[in-house]
Amino acid sequence: MIAHGKDIKVITGNSNPALAADICKELGIPLGNSEVGAFSDGENFVSIYETVRGSDVFVVQSTCAFAKDGKISTVNDALMELLIIIDALKRASAGRITAVIPYFGYARQDRKTKPRDPISAKLVANLITTAGADRVLTMDLHANQIQGFFDIPVDNMLGSPIFVDYFNRKYKDEKDETMVVSPDVGSVARARAFAQKLNMPLAIVDKRRQKANSSEVMNIIGDVRDKRVILLDDMVDTGGSLCHAAKALVEIGGAKSVTACASHGVLSGPAIERIQASALDEVVFLNTIPQKPEVHCDKIRYISVAHLFAEAISHIYMETSVSPLFV
């Protein structure tokens, strides 16, 4: 028995409409007929042009900066669009509303690191819940404890199975000379699980962060000499940490080659230039954040997560376990 929603509808904001369209193709349904825009003063508006009464509605919106009609919008624009869409659906008597947030912004502000700091991730969780979302579907939260900031169910999908498939094919004949490397001590648990799935050894880059968006590589724990190295992270923002780690692995560790993968390619500031000029051979992202139109870097590759999210949406609609997708 379906507990919520007579049918599935997918609505999207402007941050990642291509992913929403691909998810609908996987589900075999049309994308919901809606319009999300802004007035001349910058205030957002939402118009939904079809009935959603009693429907199981999934709102696809990454809370990231995005470009539309030549204009660059901010993370805050994406978040506000999400909140207004949810509110509109709630007032239109949707049966259940799931916020599908492939990339959850503000996730790095998950605790107080110094006096009088905000915990912005908790504030965003409160906003989404208060707006009227019944559950959240996301991928690779920067901090797993953010699931506890919500008073509604949260399914935190893992991008690693997609990367496992990719690197199993890429290095199927070279596994004996390939290693997984964690770019910092905080990512060791994620990297260890990834290495076990690939049946590869693990090394760690020990670094000391001097200030925000800046780091200094200190040491490499493990022998990467003459190895093909896979750097795993959850996101790449300015690219400084990743490029420094790649440089150290080649110059200090003696690695043969360095490939990186991360679920979220934020790529702000000088990230593209840094990656292009770095020791990295290839950087693989998931399309939780869409590729920026100005990105022209032959080292960057994107893999779609549409199939995985479509599977999760089907499981949620049918009220069956989402756990098999976490394997």
Side-chain angles (χ1 to χ4, degrees):
M1 176 181 177
I2 307 301
H4 297 281
K6 61 186 181 183
D7 56 0
I8 296 177
K9 290 185 183 293
V10 175
I11 303 292
T12 184
N14 290 313
S15 71
N16 208 339
L19 176 58
D22 289 343
I23 289 172
C24 288
K25 288 179 184 177
E26 293 282 347
L27 291 170
I29 62 173
L31 184 62
N33 187 9
S34 64
E35 180 184 4
V36 182
F39 296 110
S40 58
D41 64 352
E43 292 182 3
N44 296 108
F45 70 84
V46 172
S47 298
I48 298 172
Y49 299 123
E50 61 182 274
T51 180
V52 295
R53 185 177 297 272
S55 297
D56 210 345
V57 186
F58 295 83
V59 183
V60 180
Q61 178 82 334
S62 289
T63 48
C64 61
F66 61 92
K68 184 185 179 185
D69 300 329
K71 177 187 174 184
I72 302 299
S73 298
T74 67
V75 174
N76 298 329
D77 292 317
L79 176 60
M80 202 63 202
E81 283 188 5
L82 173 64
L83 298 175
I84 294 175
I85 294 170
I86 293 171
D87 182 75
L89 293 170
K90 194 75 173 178
R91 296 177 188 278
S93 301
R96 178 172 60 179
I97 303 167
T98 300
V100 181
I101 312 174
Y103 169 68
F104 186 89
Y106 285 104
R108 285 172 283 184
Q109 300 180 44
D110 64 302
R111 65 195 184 282
K112 292 181 69 171
T113 58
K114 59 182 185 293
R116 295 172 295 280
D117 268 3
I119 304 179
S120 304
K122 170 60 176 170
L123 173 61
V124 171
N126 288 344
L127 289 170
I128 292 170
T129 305
T130 302
D134 295 298
R135 67 185 303 128
V136 169
L137 175 63
T138 187
M139 175 169 278
D140 282 331
L141 287 169
H142 185 68
N144 286 327
Q145 64 266 25
I146 292 173
Q147 295 176 81
F149 293 175
F150 288 88
D151 294 323
I152 55 177
V154 176
D155 293 309
N156 183 27
M157 305 293 293
L158 303 177
S160 59
I162 298 174
F163 290 132
V164 168
D165 289 342
Y166 177 77
F167 286 112
N168 269 331
R169 293 193 302 270
K170 183 180 177 73
Y171 294 122
K172 61 181 180 179
D173 299 322
E174 301 167 325
K175 281 199 170 186
D176 292 340
E177 54 182 81
T178 309
M179 291 184 70
V180 172
V181 175
S182 172
D184 52 54
V185 175
S187 301
V188 169
R190 182 186 296 111
R192 181 183 294 116
F194 184 61
Q196 288 174 344
K197 290 177 181 177
L198 285 170
N199 194 27
M200 294 177 183
L202 175 69
I204 303 165
V205 175
D206 178 30
K207 67 182 182 182
R208 181 175 300 166
R209 188 175 294 277
Q210 307 297 332
K211 59 184 179 179
N213 294 329
S214 176
S215 65
E216 178 185 349
V217 173
M218 303 299 292
N219 196 14
I220 298 171
I221 305 170
D223 184 11
V224 299
R225 186 163 300 279
D226 297 325
K227 299 286 188 181
R228 300 181 187 277
V229 167
I230 304 171
L231 270 169
L232 172 73
D233 212 343
D234 65 321
M235 70 170 66
V236 175
D237 188 358
T238 61
S241 296
L242 190 72
C243 294
H244 289 155
K247 181 179 179 180
L249 287 164
V250 172
E251 295 184 359
I252 300 174
K256 184 186 297 184
S257 67
V258 183
T259 299
C261 62
S263 296
H264 313 300
V266 180
L267 301 180
S268 60
I272 305 301
E273 292 78 8
R274 284 176 173 173
I275 290 172
Q276 186 65 50
S278 72
L280 291 160
D281 290 1
E282 182 182 50
V283 184
V284 186
F285 296 118
L286 303 179
N287 65 340
T288 55
I289 297 174
Q291 182 174 355
K292 296 180 180 180
E294 71 274 15
V295 172
H296 300 289
C297 178
D298 54 13
K299 292 185 178 183
I300 295 177
R301 174 188 175 94
Y302 283 85
I303 302 176
S304 178
V305 293
H307 179 72
L308 192 58
F309 274 99
E311 283 284 313
I313 287 171
S314 295
H315 281 267
I316 291 169
Y317 174 68
M318 296 299 295
E319 300 289 348
T320 56
S321 176
V322 182
S323 298
L325 302 180
F326 296 155
V327 177

